[in-house]
Amino acid sequence: GENVEQHPSTLSVQEGDSAVIKCTYSDSASNYFPWYKQELGKGPQLIIDIRSNVGEKKDQRIAVTLNKTAKHFSLHITETQPEDSAVYFCAASPTGTASKLTFGTGTRLQVTL
Amino acid sequence: GAGVSQTPSNKVTEKGKYVELRCDPISGHTALYWYRQSLGQGPEFLIYFQGTGAADDSGLPNDRFFAVRPEGSVSTLKIQRTERGDSAVYLCASSRGGVRTGELFFGEGSRLTVL
């Protein structure tokens, strides 16, 4: 089955700096890669996703890049703000949909003033 | 409410007892998912419903775990003979379904503690 590795496990940045979180996956059949943000006591919330026919996708301060050859994808957050502080999870699915996601272990992002 | 609702939010039980966890999906969402999240880990897939039927139950760890969705809306996750290792947050999510199902909308979870 699919295995998703995520790093770093914790990341501390100053407000206004950029943050990068990286994930690798093992199943070459995976073709859908979402990123979820989880705040304390809440369920995960989708922030951006990318499909395997696209190399990069951007939504305001958030971008995701995908390298299918190397089987890795990354989340980039620019101009970080305190409200970006949360746990971020990457995930992968071989179905092209969110029907069966394999999640990474999470990155706790702390944005300091 | 507009979101996915899960009850109870917290459940403490003793080893060997039976537990039911309920999920009310967003109205109109045909797909429903159960995930389990242990402390410090990412969510782990358990089962996925499309309508009333379980489209994929390959994540259920053993036959003590069972889930139903009899009318295609509310779902119940049932755990028999609970073990301490079952302690986790059980997350339910729903989505619009369809060929290119995208965003999952998660509830806040049911925290299960088995003593």
Side-chain angles (χ1 to χ4, degrees):
Chain A
E2 174 67 279
N3 181 50
V4 176
E5 295 190 356
Q6 181 173 349
H7 58 96
S9 57
T10 61
L11 179 60
S12 182
V13 300
Q14 284 197 321
E15 183 180 7
D17 288 350
S18 294
V20 180
I21 302 170
K22 298 182 179 182
C23 289
T24 61
Y25 61 98
S26 61
D27 188 350
S28 57
S30 285
N31 51 17
Y32 174 66
F33 308 91
W35 286 86
Y36 281 80
K37 174 184 180 182
Q38 187 173 29
E39 297 177 343
L40 194 62
K42 305 288 187 183
Q45 182 177 12
L46 180 72
I47 55 171
I48 195 167
D49 59 7
I50 191 168
R51 297 184 188 279
S52 58
N53 58 345
V54 175
E56 183 173 357
K57 184 176 179 181
K58 189 173 182 181
D59 183 3
Q60 298 182 4
R61 296 186 297 109
I62 295 172
V64 57
T65 59
L66 171 65
N67 183 327
K68 280 199 67 179
T69 303
K71 295 208 282 286
H72 67 69
F73 55 115
S74 300
L75 178 71
H76 305 251
I77 305 174
T78 59
E79 301 171 23
T80 53
Q81 301 168 1
E83 51 265 39
D84 294 330
S85 297
V87 180
Y88 291 81
F89 292 97
C90 63
S93 169
T95 68
T97 71
S99 61
K100 185 176 179 180
L101 296 174
T102 299
F103 282 84
T105 51
T107 296
R108 181 173 298 279
L109 174 64
Q110 181 70 44
V111 180
T112 57
L113 296 172
Chain B
V4 175
S5 176
Q6 292 189 246
T7 54
S9 56
N10 275 286
K11 176 70 177 180
V12 180
T13 191
E14 293 181 342
K15 180 175 179 293
K17 299 290 188 182
Y18 170 80
V19 166
E20 288 191 353
L21 306 175
R22 176 189 167 105
C23 174
D24 264 289
I26 292 172
S27 178
H29 280 191
T30 59
L32 184 145
Y33 314 78
W34 284 99
Y35 281 80
R36 177 169 70 174
Q37 187 172 25
S38 300
L39 192 64
Q41 300 296 313
E44 174 191 8
F45 172 80
L46 296 177
I47 187 170
Y48 152 54
F49 288 90
Q50 184 62 257
T52 60
D56 187 338
D57 65 357
S58 61
L60 295 176
N62 51 59
D63 61 6
R64 296 187 298 106
F65 289 75
F66 190 71
V68 295
R69 195 187 186 199
E71 297 178 356
S73 179
V74 170
S75 176
T76 305
L77 178 65
K78 307 181 181 193
I79 310 173
Q80 298 178 321
R81 305 183 303 279
T82 52
E83 300 178 357
R84 293 192 180 87
D86 299 335
S87 296
V89 175
Y90 289 81
L91 294 167
C92 177
S94 68
S95 70
R96 291 185 180 88
V99 175
R100 287 178 66 81
T101 300
E103 182 172 5
L104 297 187
F105 293 84
F106 281 90
E108 295 190 344
S110 292
R111 180 177 298 277
L112 175 65
T113 303
V114 182
L115 302 177

